[in-house]
Amino acid sequence: DVVGLTQDQAVDRLGDAGFRQVRIEEEQVSNDSQDGRVLQQSPSAGRRIPTDQQITLTVGDAPGLVN
């Protein structure tokens, strides 16, 4: 489960687990503490999937902040 990690931490952790296809989607957030953090992942944690399957991470993007 990489929800709550920063984008870089999440990509590194998934890479360490053998996942190379990681897609990033951004979602605007109003809470600065969510900026740059993974809000959700698909497929969800706990499911066994092949390492060649794409993982999609939704990352918070607070307007006006620079990551």
Side-chain angles (χ1 to χ4, degrees):
D1 185 13
V2 296
V3 172
L5 298 179
T6 66
Q7 177 179 326
D8 289 341
Q9 291 170 327
V11 170
D12 287 347
R13 184 171 292 178
L14 291 169
D16 289 346
F19 295 98
R20 300 289 179 245
Q21 296 185 53
V22 180
R23 178 177 174 208
I24 306 297
E25 295 181 350
E26 291 186 345
E27 179 177 306
Q28 284 199 344
V29 293
S30 57
N31 185 339
D32 293 349
S33 67
Q34 292 179 320
D35 187 60
R37 298 213 171 255
V38 178
L39 306 175
Q40 58 185 307
Q41 68 185 56
S42 177
S44 58
R47 294 183 51 203
R48 290 193 180 271
I49 59 170
T51 55
D52 63 348
Q53 181 171 336
Q54 179 175 281
I55 307 290
T56 301
L57 303 178
T58 303
V59 177
D61 179 34
L65 293 180
V66 176
N67 288 334

